[in-house]
Amino acid sequence: MTASTTVPPRRRRRKWALAALVLLLVIAVAGVVWQRGKAADPMANLRFATVEKGDLEKTVTAVGSLKAKDYVDVGTQVSGRVLNIHVEIGDKVAKGELIAEIDPTVYASTVAKDRANLDNLKAQLAQRGAELALADQQAARNGRLAEGNAVSQDVVQQAEASARVAAAAVNSVKAQIKAAEATLEGDLANLNFTKIYAPMDGTVVVQDTRKGQTVNSVQSVAVIAQVANLDVMTVWAQVAEADVTNIRPDMPAYFTTLGAPERRWEGKVRQVQPTPTTTNDVVLYNVLVDVDNHERALLPAMTVQAFFVLAAAHDAVVVPLGALKPDPDARSFRGGPGGAPGMGTGGERRKRDRSGGKPGEAFNAAPAAAPAEGKAEGAPPALAEAKPEAAPEVAAGEPGRSGDRPARRGTPYRVQVKTANGLEWRQVRVGLATRTDAEVLSGLEVGEEIVVGEKGAQPAGGSARAAPRMPGGAGPRL
């Protein structure tokens, strides 16, 4: 038999302890080497972004649906059985084209009866006219006889009275003829209403009535079809009460559809309806935007996501929002003219930052408080509180911008810029800001590299590239 050798438990523990000691030494040496490398190159652990040009937009986002701007519910003014329907959904119709027919039997018989009654009254009129002529002749003859005392005065008076009665009978029949003609005209109209014509050029978008169905125009409005002009569509966007005060008529807007999210449809606000709707205790207002649809790419009831442009900057110098840091040395934290050094907008004196501004410091610090709804998420305080109207287009003379307004000073901030001599803090002035990017009015040039954070940390803003960008900045997508 072969005897098996076993390792004593004490020797196994010594071997494991020795292996653990060696592993700890290796980790310690690696840590020292990494710390020395980091100290030798402070930029090795930083993330950079290149300053580029692009477009920025500050928008209000809303969900809505499409409707035809002009449409008509084609109904029937008479009751009866639907004899024929000459259109289907999707058919194009011209104004005056026959759409449907109601059984005209009852209405045709009523018209025939009216015409017979009218003929009878006309015959009565002829009779009364003959009686009137006779009465006039008798009255005239008795008048001549009375002059020669051939007849009494009583006979003359009776003849004159008979003539007046005959004249009244003629007028009565004439009045009855007018009434009969009016009745005939109304019944003829009802007979014509049994043929239903298109009231406008357009497309049949609704057709719920079927051939053989009985419609009742007395108890309810009987709609045969809906004809709509699809050349111009209207977006009915539901905007929250917190945002609707920022929207005005003629404001530029655009929207996307579920079927073509990459395509933007441009338009302008036509109306902000003052009547609200409440859904799940949320107050919403309808904002209407008209858009051309000659391509017929848009159809009624499509769901859209609308963007109302509050402010825009085109061909601007753009940086990620996370690269901006408050500038403690700015004359006014909000950048307004006339502010005293170290003073805020409300006159409160702000404490100086004595941290020394070391490279890469505080880039991953979380905001002191979560931003309120409508503010720039993760933005520096002044940008988060800035109103959309505070960033209009600036005057000609600034690179890449156009307009007739005076140049803006912007809000002062600072960024860390990578130079040939290392990192340096530089003051910049910021105009329009979204939730991810900001427009730099001065202080940076296209192509420069700036610090946006530390490697492995969650970015506080977007990339420096402004295009392609999701419409509306950080607005929610469908």
Side-chain angles (χ1 to χ4, degrees), residues 117-118 121 173-185:
N117 184 42
L118 184 60
L121 291 174
V173 174
K174 287 181 178 180
Q176 293 178 47
I177 289 175
K178 289 183 179 179
E181 288 175 342
T183 301
L184 175 61
E185 185 177 352

Side-chain angles (χ1 to χ4, degrees), residues 409-425:
R409 295 188 60 186
T411 306
Y413 285 90
R414 61 176 184 168
V415 297
Q416 274 190 305
V417 184
K418 182 179 180 181
T419 66
N421 298 325
L423 297 176
E424 69 174 21
W425 284 101

Side-chain angles (χ1 to χ4, degrees), residues 52-103:
E52 298 182 0
K53 280 197 172 184
D55 297 337
L56 288 181
E57 288 180 344
K58 196 175 200 63
T59 61
V60 168
T61 307
V63 176
S65 60
L66 284 171
K67 296 181 182 179
K69 181 181 179 181
D70 299 318
Y71 66 91
V72 176
D73 289 329
V74 182
T76 173
Q77 294 180 261
V78 295
S79 302
R81 182 174 60 88
V82 178
L83 193 64
N84 283 304
I85 294 181
H86 301 282
V87 296
E88 294 181 352
I89 294 178
D91 289 351
K92 293 184 179 180
V93 295
K95 183 178 180 179
E97 183 176 340
L98 183 63
I99 291 180
E101 296 177 76
I102 305 296
D103 188 356

Side-chain angles (χ1 to χ4, degrees), residues 58-63 237-249 251-252 269 271-273 282-287 305-311 372-376 386-389 435 472 474-476:
K58 196 175 200 63
T59 61
V60 168
T61 307
V63 176
Q238 293 190 310
V239 179
E241 60 178 322
D243 297 323
V244 74
T245 55
N246 296 322
I247 299 177
R248 298 287 183 270
M251 175 181 288
V269 175
Q271 181 187 14
V272 179
Q273 293 189 340
V282 177
V283 179
L284 303 171
Y285 291 84
N286 287 321
V287 179
Q305 186 172 23
F307 301 88
F308 302 94
V309 182
L310 304 181
E373 182 178 357
K375 297 182 180 179
K387 299 292 184 183
E389 292 77 12
R435 296 190 181 188

